[in-house]
């Protein structure tokens, strides 16, 4: 168990396959974090843009401040989350809807290629949302590999309050192969520049 209390996770998950017989989901991972580490978790299955924005607004309410990690588990492409076969939410739309209300929170994009954009755009997203950090992948990711990495990543994020640069360095030092293979990006506010 982590020496630091784990922060709460608010998990948003989209449909991974239009074949409903396939049961891919991050839900068991979220439950594992709750059962084994005592992580406070909230999980929402998202099928539409309306559901996405409804639960995004709820996550940003003060009563969920103890769930600072927003985990967005969807298919993705550069600058976008794919909620299913049809609905897409762009990072610009997300920033507009958050409208600076993510102070103290971490946006974690558990989706392929969503952060395959210049670091300056990721920093602009972080500033527009006022998030403490924006974390995600720049490459296509294997479902099982990214699920295993999430446990390590969330452990590092649990140390975020102590030192953002140390949490990032821990990932780069201890798991360089996974960080490189997944194309992890980790952009955070420095204490001097925090918005």
């Amino acid at each position: 168990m982590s020496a630091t209390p784990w922060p709460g996770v608010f998990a948003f998950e989209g449909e991974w396959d239009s074949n409903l017989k396939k049961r891919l989901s991050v839900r068991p991972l979220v439950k594992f974090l709750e059962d084994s580490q005592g992580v406070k978790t909230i999980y929402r299955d998202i099928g539409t843009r309306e559901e996405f924005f409804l639960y995004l607004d709820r996550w940003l309410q003060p009563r969920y401040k103890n769930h600072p990690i927003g985990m967005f588990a969807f298919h993705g492409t550069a600058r976008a989350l794919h909620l299913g076969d049809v609905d897409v939410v762009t990072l610009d739309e997300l920033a507009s809807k958050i409208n600076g209300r993510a102070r103290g929170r971490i946006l974690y994009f558990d989706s392929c290629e969503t952060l395959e954009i210049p670091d300056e755009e990721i920093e602009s997203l972080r500033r527009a949302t006022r998030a403490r950090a924006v974390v995600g992948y720049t490459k296509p990711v294997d479902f099982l590999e990214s699920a295993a990495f999430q446990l390590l990543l969330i452990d590092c994020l649990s140390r975020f309050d102590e030192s953002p640069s140390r949490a990032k360095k821990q990932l780069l030092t201890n798991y360089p192969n996974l960080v490189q293979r997944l194309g992890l990006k980790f952009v955070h506010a420095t204490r001097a520049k925090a918005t």
Side-chain angles (χ1 to χ4, degrees):
M1 188 167 198
S2 175
T4 307
W6 289 53
V9 175
F10 198 116
F12 303 78
E13 183 174 32
E15 193 171 88
W16 295 107
D17 197 302
S18 59
N19 180 348
L20 299 179
K21 292 180 181 180
K22 294 190 177 180
R23 299 175 61 178
L24 288 177
S25 178
V26 299
R27 190 174 199 161
L29 176 70
V30 172
K31 179 128 177 63
F32 173 78
L33 287 169
E34 187 171 79
D35 292 347
S36 69
Q37 302 298 321
V39 177
K40 296 174 190 155
T41 62
I42 297 173
Y43 171 89
R44 289 295 176 261
D45 190 18
I46 307 294
T48 65
R49 289 171 57 84
E50 292 78 17
E51 286 178 327
F52 181 86
F53 291 120
L54 170 74
Y55 290 117
L56 179 69
D57 281 337
R58 288 191 180 165
W59 173 56
L60 295 168
Q61 293 174 0
R63 68 180 173 178
Y64 297 113
K65 69 181 179 183
N66 292 330
H67 293 78
I69 299 173
M71 184 172 99
F72 298 90
F74 298 93
H75 283 297
T77 53
R79 299 179 182 85
L81 297 170
H82 298 258
L83 308 186
D85 290 338
V86 179
D87 289 331
V88 173
V89 172
T90 68
L91 295 183
D92 286 341
E93 287 179 283
L94 182 67
S96 176
K97 292 288 186 180
I98 291 176
N99 192 25
R101 297 180 292 154
R103 179 182 282 260
R105 298 176 194 248
I106 297 168
L107 305 177
Y108 165 41
F109 297 106
D110 179 27
S111 53
C112 294
E113 302 175 356
T114 299
L115 295 184
E116 179 54 38
I117 57 179
D119 288 350
E120 298 78 27
E121 285 185 46
I122 300 171
E123 175 60 15
S124 291
L125 171 65
R126 191 200 62 73
R127 287 178 186 258
T129 61
R130 297 177 77 182
R132 293 201 57 211
V134 176
V135 181
Y137 306 118
T138 63
K139 297 179 181 179
V141 296
D142 176 76
F143 186 85
L144 187 59
E145 191 171 55
S146 70
F149 185 68
Q150 284 171 26
L151 297 174
L152 304 170
L153 176 62
I154 291 172
D155 181 48
C156 287
L157 294 177
S158 73
R159 303 174 206 303
F160 196 85
D161 281 336
E162 294 173 22
S163 171
S165 58
R166 193 166 76 195
K168 182 177 180 179
K169 184 178 179 181
Q170 180 182 352
L171 287 168
L172 295 172
T173 302
N174 294 343
Y175 316 110
N177 293 336
L178 277 172
V179 167
Q180 182 179 11
R181 193 162 49 247
L182 298 171
L184 183 74
K185 289 274 183 118
F186 189 125
V187 174
H188 60 86
T190 61
R191 294 215 187 263
K193 296 180 184 176
T195 58

